[in-house]
Amino acid sequence: LCHPFGLRCSPHLFHSRIRSCVLNSTSPLSFQAQVKALPPSSSRHSLFFLPLPLDSAALLHLEEERRVSVARLVLPTMGLGQALLFPVRIVTGVFSFGAAVFGVVGEETPAFEVLRTAGKAAVAYEVRRYAAYQAAETPSSEDGDGFMVLANYIGVLGEAKNEGAQKMAMTTPVASTMGQGGQGKMMFSLPKSVDAPPKPTDERVKTLTRPASTWAVHQYRGAWNLEQATSVADRLRAQLKEDGENVDDRSQWEWLRYNPPFTLPWFRTNEVAIKLRD
């Protein structure tokens, strides 16, 4: 966490085992002197925010004298207009994060039309007609290990792992299916702006065009619990058959999760979807 003006060492901003400090390029002390003057710490790790420009000798000094690894994060120089907008962006980011904590969904979702609502109160559902859309999928276990594979494909945390390194915005929901032995698939829908998905460089990722299809969807809130989701799917399937819906028994049910991990569990939007025959 770095304030753009009064930069000071802030040892309590992070976990007790991590120490953070901002080194001030305007200090009368040299960069090396500031490093040597840092108080000793019992923490296992230290996180330094380093002002630019710093020459290679200064970085090498930090690595050798303090026995740390230096990760170089280069931020672009801000012009006057960007500087004036900087506080606005900070406030917007804070409000966006706060909204996400309380379950507000701001990401793009696949387009659909609600054809009708039905079911009993405990297992109410919508029959939705989804338009065709582009998607990426990968094998995934119950632990959700496919998430980072897909996140890397679209470039959430760094360079996108696809031909051309084309970054794509995160969408929602994350769709999961479970197969035998806890092995299944995880899928991201791709933004509407992506007409032709770039070829993945990770062979575990497959891109596809999801055709228009009809699904019965039950929505509920709560923590991510596969056992609970499976129970909801069983009850929804039974309700659909009772209502005479034309269930596609060849397809697996899907678990749709709309929120990031830091959303409070009781505010998370989850859905179970079962495909219907057209």
Side-chain angles (χ1 to χ4, degrees):
L1 297 176
C2 176
H3 192 281
F5 302 110
L7 307 183
R8 297 186 303 169
C9 188
S10 306
H12 301 297
L13 289 176
F14 292 84
H15 191 278
S16 60
R17 297 174 71 182
I18 300 178
R19 181 163 57 102
S20 70
C21 187
V22 179
L23 301 182
N24 193 342
S25 60
T26 63
S27 170
L29 295 176
S30 68
F31 170 75
Q32 289 86 348
Q34 290 184 70
V35 172
K36 289 183 178 180
L38 289 175
S41 171
S42 60
S43 62
R44 293 181 57 187
H45 305 283
S46 295
L47 177 62
F48 297 96
F49 292 88
L50 306 178
L52 293 179
L54 291 176
D55 57 31
S56 299
L59 294 175
L60 181 63
H61 177 86
L62 178 62
E63 292 178 312
E64 290 180 350
E65 294 295 323
R66 304 296 294 192
R67 295 182 180 180
V68 299
S69 297
V70 175
R72 294 160 175 81
L73 173 63
V74 179
L75 299 178
T77 302
M78 290 190 296
L80 177 60
Q82 291 175 307
L84 293 175
L85 287 174
F86 186 74
V88 177
R89 290 174 178 169
I90 291 293
V91 172
T92 302
V94 169
F95 275 103
S96 296
F97 178 83
V101 168
F102 292 101
V104 176
V105 176
E107 294 78 17
E108 181 181 319
T109 61
F112 64 85
E113 176 187 2
V114 178
L115 302 180
R116 61 184 179 277
T117 57
K120 298 178 181 177
V123 201
Y125 60 89
E126 292 180 342
V127 175
R128 299 176 182 172
R129 180 67 178 177
Y130 281 87
Y133 59 88
Q134 302 294 328
E137 68 176 18
T138 189
S140 185
S141 69
E142 293 182 8
D143 296 330
D145 53 4
F147 183 88
M148 289 309 304
V149 176
L150 294 175
N152 287 332
Y153 167 68
I154 66 175
V156 170
L157 301 177
E159 182 175 312
K161 292 188 176 181
N162 61 64
E163 292 186 358
Q166 178 183 343
K167 282 184 173 290
M168 292 166 275
M170 184 70 194
T171 61
T172 196
V174 175
S176 301
T177 59
M178 286 296 112
Q180 297 295 327
Q183 290 298 316
K185 293 182 178 181
M186 181 174 286
M187 184 183 72
F188 285 6
S189 61
L190 300 180
K192 297 180 181 68
S193 58
V194 178
D195 295 324
K199 184 178 180 180
T201 55
D202 187 331
E203 62 181 10
R204 294 172 294 178
V205 179
K206 306 296 181 185
T207 59
L208 65 146
T209 299
R210 181 108 168 194
S213 52
T214 304
W215 296 75
V217 183
H218 172 75
Q219 187 176 105
Y220 67 98
R221 294 188 181 274
W224 295 337
N225 183 294
L226 179 58
E227 184 177 348
Q228 179 189 12
T230 303
S231 175
V232 172
D234 290 341
R235 288 187 282 117
L236 176 58
R237 189 178 295 275
Q239 184 65 52
L240 292 173
K241 291 185 176 181
E242 180 181 324
D243 293 345
E245 298 286 357
N246 194 7
V247 176
D248 186 350
D249 292 321
R250 297 170 300 175
S251 66
Q252 294 176 302
W253 63 273
E254 294 188 354
W255 188 19
L256 312 178
R257 289 171 285 179
Y258 284 80
N259 306 103
F262 53 79
T263 298
L264 298 173
W266 48 92
F267 291 117
R268 292 178 186 173
T269 298
N270 310 304
E271 293 178 338
V272 165
I274 295 178
K275 191 175 182 182
L276 302 180
R277 295 181 187 272
D278 292 330

